[in-house]
Amino acid sequence: MTAVVAGPDGHNPGAGLYQSQRSVSSSENRHHMAVGEPQAAAIAAGQPLGIPGSDSRAPALMAPMSDETLRRIAILLFPDVEELDAVGPWEVLSYWTRKFPEDGWRVDCVSRDGAPVQCAKGLTILPHFSRDAMPPVDVFLHPGGQGTRPLMEDEDHLAWVRKLSAEAALTTSVCTGALVLAKAGLLRGRAVTTHRTSLDLLAELEPTAEVRRDSRFVDDGDLVTSAGISAGIDMALHLVARLHSVERARQVRRGIQYDPEPPV
């Protein structure tokens, strides 16, 4: 799979979850979209993609799943996690999984011990699972925030992240969650991004990574990283498109009324 880059205006295609081959495009075009044959055919047919800022549609790549084969997404919580890093993707993904249970996905929050977590600005969240009690997951999301700093030096946490990433089909991060992935050794040779104030640090932590400085998120096969805070919402919509269909992502976007028009 070629790295998929979404620029600040949200250009992105869908991609298959279980595709394993990966190559990184050398193009400097921040709106570069890499697509396979089905996506290319859809684009050639002029079908609209439906994700904000995009004008192409990728087809549904995964069939609906029964409750017996429920697939799981886990969002990590930890002290001083940036609220929107976790809650933004949660809103997107939980709206999807609750409004469309026939799609066969569930999203949960997990913390080290399962106890309530106080976030960076004082919001307290009760996770669904502790690390040890969490069921196997297909998609793992590591948010960012000031709480990532101690995690970057926490060998137990880094070992757990490595293990979870090896078991999950897809590892994702929002904001400075990418710094933890870098410290865990998961970003070697990968196309990545993070919060704009941490781009240099990310490049320092993993010199082999291709840091995309102008991207809202970067899809690099089994790894998807987003820029800071609100960019996690864009990334989560991309995940819906990738895990189910672009049409479903469009429905979710409309459902949560996500039509950014900043007043300043």
Side-chain angles (χ1 to χ4, degrees):
M1 178 182 293
T2 302
V4 174
V5 178
D9 58 358
H11 278 60
N12 65 90
L17 174 60
Y18 295 107
Q19 292 175 304
S20 60
Q21 291 186 339
R22 183 185 62 83
S23 64
V24 178
S25 171
S26 60
S27 172
E28 295 300 320
N29 183 355
R30 70 185 183 188
H31 304 311
H32 169 69
M33 296 193 297
V35 295
E37 291 181 3
Q39 293 94 330
I43 291 171
Q47 298 172 308
L49 180 61
I51 299 297
S54 186
D55 58 2
S56 304
R57 172 181 294 183
L61 296 174
M62 302 189 70
M65 306 189 69
S66 68
D67 290 342
E68 289 74 21
T69 54
L70 198 68
R71 291 172 176 168
R72 291 181 178 268
I73 304 167
I75 299 175
L76 178 65
L77 300 175
F78 49 87
D80 289 327
V81 60
E82 184 66 34
E83 280 88 343
L84 197 59
D85 283 13
V87 176
W90 167 263
E91 179 63 31
V92 172
L93 297 170
S94 64
Y95 184 95
W96 168 40
T97 57
R98 288 168 183 257
K99 289 289 186 179
F100 303 98
E102 67 273 18
D103 292 352
W105 284 87
R106 169 174 173 150
V107 58
D108 297 296
C109 293
V110 59
S111 70
R112 185 186 295 263
D113 57 6
V117 172
Q118 182 168 311
C119 304
K121 297 178 177 68
L123 178 67
T124 298
I125 303 177
L126 178 65
H128 301 90
F129 295 105
S130 68
R131 226 165 60 170
D132 294 337
M134 181 181 69
V137 301
D138 297 274
V139 180
F140 169 57
L141 188 151
H142 198 306
Q146 287 301 314
T148 58
R149 276 38 175 194
L151 293 181
M152 291 166 61
E153 307 304 326
D154 184 334
E155 289 301 328
D156 177 67
H157 180 76
L158 297 178
W160 179 72
V161 167
R162 282 191 289 268
K163 178 177 183 294
L164 193 58
S165 180
E167 295 171 350
L170 187 58
T171 298
T172 73
S173 68
V174 177
C175 197
T176 53
L179 303 181
V180 179
L181 300 187
K183 287 288 287 188
L186 299 175
L187 304 187
R188 297 188 184 100
R190 309 303 297 263
V192 294
T193 194
T194 187
H195 191 282
R196 59 183 177 81
T197 63
S198 295
L199 291 165
D200 289 341
L201 177 56
L202 181 58
E204 178 183 329
L205 290 173
E206 184 47 76
T208 70
E210 181 183 346
V211 178
R212 303 289 179 90
R213 294 176 176 270
D214 296 319
S215 301
R216 287 288 278 177
F217 65 83
V218 179
D219 184 323
D220 194 31
D222 59 358
L223 174 73
V224 184
T225 56
S226 89
I229 311 177
S230 66
I233 298 173
D234 293 27
M235 184 187 78
L237 284 168
H238 172 72
L239 292 180
V240 177
R242 178 169 166 173
L243 300 175
H244 187 271
S245 69
V246 176
E247 175 58 29
R248 183 69 86 225
R250 181 192 293 115
Q251 292 174 308
V252 172
R253 179 178 64 82
R254 290 172 175 168
I256 65 173
Q257 202 165 346
Y258 182 59
D259 299 292
E261 294 184 7
V264 294

